[in-house]
Amino acid sequence: MKTWFISDLHLDPQRPETTQQCLTFLEQIKEDAEALYILGDLFDYWIGDDLLNTPLGEPILSIIDAFKLLSNNGCTLYFAHGNRDFLIGEAFMQRIGGQLLDEHHVIDLYGTPTLIMHGDTLCTDDTDYQQLRTLLRNTEWQQAFLAKPLPQRIQEAQQLRAISKEKTEQKQENIMDVNQQQVEAVMQTFGVSQLIHGHTHRPATHTFELAGQTVTRIVLGDWYKQSHYLSFSSRVD
Ligand code: MN
C-alpha cells in the first residue's frame, strides 16, 4: 500500500484536461492507496463550499465523486489549504470524505518524521504576498467575503487572480522561492528530517545538512502541463 502526495493542480473549469488527468490519477491509485495528501491549490480558486449546492458547482462534481469513491474504498484523504483554495471548508471535506489539516502537519511517513504543508509560508522574501496572505486569512475578511452573493465572489476571486498574475510577472524569480533560513527554522521547530510541500511549482528534491543531520525537502510540481505526484510505500512491501 502507498501514501500519495499531490498539490497545485489548479483545477479550473476552463481547463477540463487537468480535471481529466486528475480523474485518471485517482482511478489509477485506487487499488493501492492507503492515504492521499492534497497539499493545497487543488483548485485555481475557491469561493466557498456553498457553491456546490448551486448549478455553478456542477463542473466540480466529477472530481468530488472520484475523491469520495477513493475514501469509500479505504484511502484516507487529507487536505491542506493552498493560497488559492484557502476557503475550502468542512462541507467540502464531508463531500469527499476527507480531513482538513492544519497549516503545519507532521506525519510518520513509514518511519521518517515528515512535515507537510502547502509551502507559501516558506516564501518569506515575498513580503508583498505575505501581507496579502494576512488579509485573506483574517476570519472577519473571510466571513464578509462568504456573505457576498456567489457571482460577486466569483468576480472578486478572478480579480484577485489577475492581480496576483500581474504581480508574479513583475517579481524576481528568487523572491518567489522558499527562504532557506525559514525552511531550516520550521524543520527544526517541528523536529523533522523531511519536508514535503508544493506552491513554488519547482519540483525537486533538495538534500542538505541541518544540525548535523542530512535532511530532505521535496517540492511537488504543478499540473499545468502534466500530472505530478509523489508516492511512498513501506520498505516491507
Ligand atoms: Mn500555491
Side-chain angles (χ1 to χ4, degrees), residues 38 63-64 67-68 71 77 79 91-98:
I38 307 151
I63 286 288
I64 302 244
F67 278 127
K68 184 67 183 159
S71 59
L77 298 185
F79 179 85
F92 179 88
M93 287 301 131
Q94 279 192 2
R95 292 281 288 259
I96 67 167

Side-chain angles (χ1 to χ4, degrees), residues 8 10 39-41 81-85 118-120 129 198-201:
D8 303 283
H10 290 266
L39 299 187
D41 288 355
H81 284 137
N83 54 303
R84 300 298 194 92
D85 50 14
H118 179 58
D120 55 328
Y129 165 70
H199 180 67
T200 60
H201 301 201

Side-chain angles (χ1 to χ4, degrees), residues 38-57:
I38 307 151
L39 299 187
D41 288 355
L42 172 63
F43 297 104
D44 207 33
Y45 58 90
W46 191 257
I47 55 161
D49 293 354
D50 54 338
L51 178 85
L52 296 172
N53 306 323
T54 75
L56 291 170

Side-chain angles (χ1 to χ4, degrees), residues 1-4 34-35 108-112 232-235 237:
M1 297 299 277
K2 289 180 181 168
T3 294
W4 296 83
E34 60 177 309
D108 175 356
L109 189 55
Y110 305 110
T112 306
F232 288 82
S233 53
S234 79
R235 292 201 187 125
D237 61 37

Side-chain angles (χ1 to χ4, degrees), residues 144-158:
F145 182 81
L146 290 171
K148 291 175 187 176
L150 282 170
Q152 193 183 340
R153 279 186 257 162
I154 292 173
Q155 202 188 7
E156 288 185 21
Q158 285 173 345

Side-chain angles (χ1 to χ4, degrees), residues 47 65 88 102 105 134 152 194 203-204 207 211 225 229 232:
I47 55 161
D65 290 345
I88 281 184
D102 287 335
H105 188 75
T134 304
Q152 193 183 340
Q194 187 162 258
T207 303
K225 294 209 176 81
Y229 45 78
F232 288 82

